[in-house]
Amino acid sequence: MYRYDEIDREIVDARTAEFREQVQARLSGALTEDEFKPLRLMNGVYLQLHAYMLRVAIPYGVLSSEQLRTLAHIARTYDRGYGHFTTRQNIQFNWPKLVDIPDVLDQLAGVEMHAIQTSGNTIRNTTTDPFAGAADDEIADPRPWCELIRQWSTVHPEFTWLPRKFKIAVTGSPEDRAAIGVHDIGLKLVAKDAGEIGFEVHVGGGQGRTPRIAAKIRDYLPANELLAYLTAVLRVYNLAGRRDNLYKARIKILVESMGADAFTQAVETTYRDIRGRELALPAEEIERVSSYFVPPPAGAPDEAPSNDRAFLTWREVNVKPHKVAGRAIVVIALKPYGKAPGDATAEQMEAIADLADRYGRSEIRVTKEQNLVLPHVEAAALPSVYEGLKAIGLATANAGRPSDIVACPGLDYCNLANARSIPIAQAISEALEAAGLDEKAGEVTIKISGCINACGHHHIANIGLLGVDKKGEEVYQLTLGGIADGDAAIGKIAGPGLSANDAIDAVVTCVQVFADRAELGETFIDTLTRLGHEPFKEAVYGA
Amino acid sequence: MALDSTRQLTLDPVEIPAERSPEDALHLAAGSERVDILFGSFKDGRGFSLAAHLRKAGFTGELRAVGPLLPDQEGALKRVGFDTVLSDRIDAGGRGVRVPFESVYQPDPTGGGTAEPAYRQRALVARGQHADALAEMLEGASPEAILARTLEEYRGRIAVLSSFGSEAALGLKLIADIAPATPVLFLDTDRHFPQTLQYRDALIERLGLSHVEILEPDPEEAAREDSDGQLYARDSLACCALRKVRPLNRALAAYDAVITGRKRHHGGLRGSVKAVEFDGERVRINPLAHLSASEVSERFSALDLPNHPLVEAGYPSIGCWPCTAQASAQGSREGRWAGQERTECGIFDPEPGKRAERAKSVRLI
Ligand code: SF4
Ligand code: SF4
């Protein structure tokens, strides 16, 4: 993992001190609420339905056990004993008091964390593959590049007052587990024949009200030119992005209105003007940052045989192959049946930190599916890890299975929501368990958003639900066929809006059709492509 | 792109609303000494990019940010290129002086800011330490050993500077024997002796150098700054800046290490040249540093290398024809810019004022 040097520490400390003064200025009235609002947002502080919410950045989803323990401590001391992991690989605390927040930020700074730019019209936390550095299909580790982007984008003097928020995702695998197609900028590491690496650059993807798949604007960008190119994209956007209409302010709208070709040309011209020594990443710095992300040593060769059926199922579903011999990737699904997706209690976080220390090189990842991952577990220790997770109720064998549902906070927390998401997810999860569908159905993704802002990523769900408000009533729109990773696709609306109960039934029905009709080894998308949408619609809405 | 100065110089500020396009802004700012960028709201970040764009394009007048801006924004505004922030919110509420962040992660738009971005600070320290270690290790090593080690160490980011002058063939031969694809940078000032160009082509062919970059002055700049082709006579520093310094700096941006032909026996600033040095930005490799004049000529004949045709004609050091005279001693530089105080071409140093103090000029192989 990356460790701060003096410069990093100084910048985070300076930012924390700056925000402490801003909070004081707000409390004393020197700053108006209108002035304070964007300042608090860019330090991760939201005003939610019931209280302030603090969103802490987990840079590209990588946590040390020490950091996870600090998050547990914050949850216990300043919140109600739990935290909520988000689809952006961050964690949110829903109940801190404004006056406490500078103290929380100090504690975070003590373990090299912060809440900088987790909100506001800024460059947000960069996201990546949760299996980075462990996946066996990786071209290059994306984390050094994410760290370089993290630093470059932090307190950027030019790009802190953008038209709208801005999200960058990086993938190092052809598989793409980072959903680069639905980000403002999606970067895909590619290798040239000579072995040099660079980036394929995609711009203008996004979800929300106008879901768009990003356009590829460059096939190959030399890796050390990354910052110059990002600066060019951001400058074109900062100058030309719309500021008159909140809903048209994202870069996807700019790319669409200019046309991908004209947009690309504007970026390339700016890039040519600004590239040079100062923006080029020096080889020494790339090497320094990369040196923090070396692969773990091989694990012990033997994995003890087991005939515990439950363990074996969990192993098959939640454990993924590692690129280093004798190691494995463990997905901890924060999706026990009937519980709120993505929530973890302080005790659970501490227990996971212990497991990471004991068996997994003290490292934890957060995924956009609102799960945690132990990326470098000793294969021989898998039974012990399983037992440890079972003890805290997190050994459900459902990673990637139907009940591994993603849901935004929705009406229970969010003041933009039209409808509830978490209770719907809980009810679906219970129904799926009752019907035994996790075992019967293969891979499928279900995602729920409480409004068109799409924080629950419903657009890119195989089966998506979107909460809408119809004359004061909560209604849900069902979408089918969305894909998050790789060849990203936006789901299509299946039919008229449904009541909460009907929506729950509809989702379970779709999973049932999939389970009944799938051929061996098919994913939901395979089956949907083969059969078309009709059989699913028919089952939900009748003939 | 540079600004034309057709507009009359004036101290009345030109006012540019932040929503104007960068092209418009550049046009409006041209020739003015003071530009006010008008921010409609403190949340509107366009003015930040506009300022960065103007600075990058070469605007050197005063830039003022005008509008309801917050004291919290002053530091960033100054970093993107503003000199002053005019806002009635700046002193509101008695919040005291803002302390700017000491370290930064980003370069300033002109690249000439006060603080280097963290990635450069760290890299330059590491590069310097590494060069020192190499220098120690290669102390007293042969030119071949120095080249073998450094060409490997800096592979992909090392180039050779060569004037294809009187002593160039030796260094180029050694490099061609180890790594013939090493980029060789040649400055075509458009003022070379025809013999130099012929010699250059013959050497490239004979040594099998497969990657030669010919660096030319920017045609637009040349037309503007030296329209009659006589600049060398009026201001040789400006001529070298146009024909050598800037083209070379553009090309060098891609390299972290350069091989030069400097030798201690050239005397002057070169009396103490080491095999590996760090100039604050790049590593300079001087594989021939310790060779004496006679050792150079011995190796020349031992390797049967062809001489530059002008050496026979009495030019021991060869540059552009307007600035090279005959001289007496072999290897001597006294014929360069004869009758002027200069002895170096000023390559590497874009700012003539700092030239002497930095002493960054190099002798080409
Ligand atoms: S999708 Fe809507 S309801 Fe859900 S968290 Fe985002 S803004 Fe709130
Ligand atoms: S050496 Fe003379 S001719 Fe050549 S660039 Fe310099 S001033 Fe001009």
Side-chain angles (χ1 to χ4, degrees):
Chain A
M1 272 186 68
Y2 183 73
R3 299 307 308 252
Y4 281 12
D5 70 356
E6 256 154 52
I7 298 177
D8 299 313
R9 212 164 293 128
E10 190 188 306
I11 291 174
V12 171
D13 287 350
R15 177 62 161 215
T16 310
E18 182 186 46
F19 187 56
R20 188 178 280 278
E21 191 274 342
Q22 287 164 341
V23 170
Q24 281 314 312
R26 174 67 199 118
L27 294 173
S28 76
L31 277 170
T32 66
E33 181 55 30
D34 181 53
E35 290 167 342
F36 180 60
K37 185 178 168 193
L39 300 175
R40 72 164 157 74
L41 284 175
M42 64 180 74
N43 284 283
V45 183
Y46 272 86
L47 193 54
Q48 288 272 54
L49 218 44
H50 313 289
Y52 280 105
M53 180 269 274
L54 178 67
R55 183 183 290 154
V56 177
I58 296 175
Y60 35 98
V62 178
L63 276 174
S64 70
S65 53
E66 187 197 16
Q67 291 173 330
L68 185 57
R69 280 196 195 92
T70 302
L71 295 177
H73 170 76
I74 291 168
R76 189 178 288 128
T77 315
Y78 302 99
D79 204 322
R80 298 186 175 174
Y82 65 94
H84 178 74
F85 290 97
T86 76
T87 52
R88 294 266 317 138
Q89 300 179 313
N90 291 321
I91 186 170
Q92 294 179 179
F93 294 109
N94 287 307
W95 310 96
K97 292 204 243 352
L98 182 58
V99 285
D100 286 340
I101 287 176
D103 290 337
V104 175
L105 294 179
D106 273 344
Q107 299 199 14
L108 288 170
V111 289
E112 305 182 1
M113 295 185 80
H114 58 70
I116 301 168
Q117 291 164 214
T118 51
S119 180
N121 296 333
T122 55
I123 304 170
R124 304 288 188 84
N125 185 20
T126 297
T127 51
T128 192
D129 182 355
F131 300 164
D136 60 356
D137 63 347
E138 198 163 79
I139 286 170
D141 192 336
R143 291 171 301 167
W145 305 103
C146 293
E147 175 58 27
L148 289 161
I149 296 171
R150 182 192 75 79
Q151 297 188 17
W152 165 81
S153 61
T154 298
V155 203
H156 197 294
E158 187 181 340
F159 304 130
T160 298
W161 303 88
L162 296 170
R164 214 50 188 98
K165 58 188 168 185
F166 202 92
K167 301 173 180 177
I168 302 174
V170 189
T171 181
S173 295
E175 265 274 335
D176 176 22
R177 283 169 295 263
I180 62 164
V182 288
H183 281 79
D184 295 291
I185 295 180
L187 298 168
K188 180 177 185 176
L189 277 157
V190 288
K192 276 218 227 174
D193 291 344
E196 296 143 61
I197 59 161
F199 296 97
E200 191 180 283
V201 184
H202 301 248
V203 176
Q207 304 187 54
R209 182 171 305 255
T210 355
R212 290 289 179 274
I213 303 299
K216 184 164 86 178
I217 69 165
R218 205 174 224 266
D219 289 324
Y220 186 84
L221 174 73
N224 67 342
E225 291 283 315
L226 178 61
L227 302 187
Y229 206 78
L230 292 179
T231 303
V233 173
L234 265 297
R235 186 171 296 171
V236 169
Y237 170 56
N238 194 33
L239 285 166
R242 284 180 65 170
R243 288 171 188 266
D244 57 329
N245 181 339
L246 189 65
Y247 302 119
K248 303 211 156 126
R250 294 289 290 268
I251 197 172
K252 60 190 171 189
I253 305 293
L254 180 66
V255 173
E256 192 166 72
S257 67
M258 285 176 79
D261 288 344
F263 176 83
T264 307
Q265 218 172 12
V267 170
E268 292 285 334
T269 307
T270 307
Y271 169 58
R272 268 198 305 281
D273 281 351
I274 63 173
R275 62 184 292 204
R277 215 52 198 160
E278 275 69 28
L279 276 167
L281 278 166
E284 289 85 352
E285 177 67 353
I286 295 173
E287 198 179 308
R288 184 189 75 93
V289 174
S290 301
S291 72
Y292 288 101
F293 300 100
V294 288
D302 296 317
E303 197 184 324
S306 164
N307 44 26
D308 174 351
R309 281 284 304 278
F311 166 74
L312 290 173
T313 313
W314 172 83
R315 196 196 182 300
E316 186 183 320
V317 176
N318 287 36
V319 178
K320 313 287 171 195
H322 198 288
K323 69 173 164 194
V324 172
R327 296 212 174 255
I329 303 171
V330 168
V331 181
I332 305 172
L334 297 178
K335 314 288 167 62
Y337 292 117
K339 293 279 166 51
D343 276 5
T345 63
E347 293 70 34
Q348 286 173 329
M349 291 187 231
E350 281 161 350
I352 290 168
D354 289 346
L355 288 172
D357 279 342
R358 215 166 312 148
Y359 309 111
R361 300 190 63 77
S362 304
E363 208 178 311
I364 301 102
R365 307 285 174 81
V366 183
T367 79
K368 66 183 187 321
E369 288 78 25
Q370 302 177 285
N371 293 328
L372 297 181
V373 165
L374 297 174
H376 304 306
V377 171
E378 286 240 28
L382 284 169
S384 314
V385 171
Y386 172 73
E387 290 305 324
L389 291 174
K390 209 164 95 176
I392 53 170
L394 291 179
T396 313
N398 62 350
R401 291 299 163 93
S403 68
D404 187 0
I405 301 170
V406 169
C408 78
L411 202 52
D412 300 276
Y413 297 98
C414 174
N415 48 7
L416 301 173
N418 291 322
R420 294 163 299 160
S421 345
I422 292 173
I424 304 297
Q426 290 171 301
I428 294 173
S429 155
E430 277 167 359
L432 290 168
E433 186 193 16
L437 279 169
D438 271 345
E439 293 86 55
K440 289 184 205 144
E443 268 181 46
V444 53
T445 59
I446 300 171
K447 302 176 199 270
I448 309 170
S449 301
C451 80
I452 192 62
N453 286 321
C455 306
H457 294 184
H458 68 278
H459 287 304
I460 50 171
N462 299 168
I463 305 173
L465 282 182
L466 160 66
V468 288
D469 176 85
K470 253 214 179 119
K471 298 180 194 118
E473 277 202 36
E474 290 173 70
V475 167
Y476 294 83
Q477 237 167 35
L478 176 72
T479 55
L480 294 175
I483 304 174
D485 297 328
D487 288 323
I490 308 295
K492 291 201 174 56
I493 296 174
L498 301 159
S499 71
N501 281 336
D502 290 349
I504 294 162
D505 289 345
V507 171
V508 178
T509 303
C510 288
V511 177
Q512 186 72 58
V513 173
F514 168 46
D516 293 344
R517 309 274 308 261
E519 287 175 0
L520 193 70
E522 273 189 342
T523 65
F524 182 85
I525 292 298
D526 296 335
T527 311
L528 184 73
T529 311
R530 184 167 52 78
L531 298 177
H533 290 222
E534 271 323 302
F536 293 89
K537 289 190 195 171
E538 213 168 283
V540 172
Y541 296 99
Chain B
M1 217 194 304
L3 301 166
D4 58 80
S5 39
T6 45
R7 182 189 290 271
Q8 186 134 20
L9 293 186
T10 165
L11 268 181
D12 282 341
V14 171
E15 297 192 333
I16 305 178
E19 57 270 23
R20 294 303 290 264
S21 75
E23 296 77 28
D24 284 2
L26 201 52
H27 190 74
L28 291 166
S32 169
E33 289 204 336
R34 175 180 280 173
V35 165
D36 284 356
I37 298 205
L38 311 181
F39 288 72
S41 151
F42 73 95
K43 295 172 201 164
D44 186 338
R46 283 178 285 199
F48 291 78
S49 281
L50 223 44
H53 180 74
L54 288 180
R55 287 298 187 212
K56 182 72 197 174
F59 178 74
T60 52
E62 188 186 6
L63 256 188
R64 304 193 302 184
V66 183
L69 296 154
L70 304 182
D72 309 84
Q73 297 176 300
E74 198 173 358
L77 286 163
K78 293 199 166 154
R79 281 189 56 206
V80 297
F82 287 104
D83 299 296
T84 322
V85 182
L86 294 181
S87 160
D88 55 2
R89 292 299 292 152
I90 286 289
D91 299 317
R95 292 174 61 199
V97 184
R98 317 288 50 233
V99 205
F101 286 30
E102 241 167 72
S103 300
V104 294
Y105 280 135
Q106 309 82 7
D108 293 353
T110 50
T114 42
E116 286 267 32
Y119 54 86
R120 275 181 51 82
Q121 275 188 47
R122 295 164 175 147
L124 294 179
V125 168
R127 191 173 297 163
Q129 288 169 347
H130 190 69
D132 288 348
L134 274 178
E136 200 169 307
M137 189 188 310
L138 295 172
E139 177 66 42
S142 68
E144 289 85 350
I146 295 170
L147 281 172
R149 179 61 198 252
T150 51
L151 282 168
E152 171 64 28
E153 196 77 45
Y154 296 103
R155 191 165 15 171
R157 49 197 187 110
I158 187 167
V160 192
L161 296 181
S162 182
S163 66
F164 290 89
S166 56
E167 296 177 338
L170 178 54
L172 290 174
K173 162 77 178 146
L174 298 180
I175 290 161
D177 284 349
I178 301 172
T182 308
V184 178
L185 311 184
F186 173 77
L187 282 160
D188 189 345
T189 59
D190 213 12
R191 299 285 180 275
H192 279 294
F193 292 100
Q195 289 91 328
T196 300
L197 302 182
Q198 285 156 16
Y199 181 60
R200 175 193 73 190
D201 295 340
L203 262 188
I204 291 171
E205 167 90 38
R206 162 146 174 193
L207 300 178
L209 295 164
S210 61
H211 182 163
V212 178
E213 289 179 31
I214 310 283
L215 315 177
E216 292 171 348
D218 181 85
E220 260 178 53
E221 288 176 7
R224 195 169 51 234
E225 296 168 24
D226 190 5
S227 52
D228 62 355
Q230 305 284 310
L231 184 59
Y232 63 85
R234 287 191 300 276
D235 182 350
S236 71
L237 280 176
C239 182
C240 276
L242 165 71
R243 299 181 181 280
K244 292 182 171 176
V245 177
R246 276 177 266 150
L248 183 61
N249 277 331
R250 280 193 286 267
L252 277 182
Y255 301 103
D256 295 337
V258 283
I259 302 171
T260 84
R262 294 190 302 168
K263 303 175 190 71
R264 288 179 199 154
H265 80 81
H266 293 147
L269 292 171
R270 299 174 176 192
S272 56
V273 168
K274 289 193 291 179
V276 181
E277 296 175 323
F278 180 58
D279 69 5
E281 175 73 44
R282 288 183 189 81
V283 180
R284 293 201 208 151
I285 324 283
N286 313 303
L288 311 177
H290 65 271
L291 294 192
S292 67
S294 57
E295 280 172 315
V296 172
S297 54
E298 271 162 34
R299 279 175 168 258
F300 240 82
S301 20
L303 291 166
D304 195 22
L305 291 168
N307 270 317
H308 192 295
L310 290 179
V311 170
E312 258 105 272
Y315 295 83
S317 178
I318 299 149
C320 301
W321 57 258
C323 304
T324 305
Q326 285 151 317
S328 49
Q330 199 223 354
S332 154
R333 293 177 60 79
E334 65 188 41
R336 303 292 293 278
W337 299 280
Q340 298 186 36
E341 273 173 39
R342 313 175 53 187
T343 59
E344 296 282 356
C345 58
I347 274 170
F348 273 141
D349 203 332
E351 295 156 83
K354 293 188 185 157
R355 206 169 274 166
E357 125 213 359
R358 288 202 201 159
K360 275 185 183 171
S361 48
V362 293
R363 158 119 171 121
L364 307 174
I365 276 187

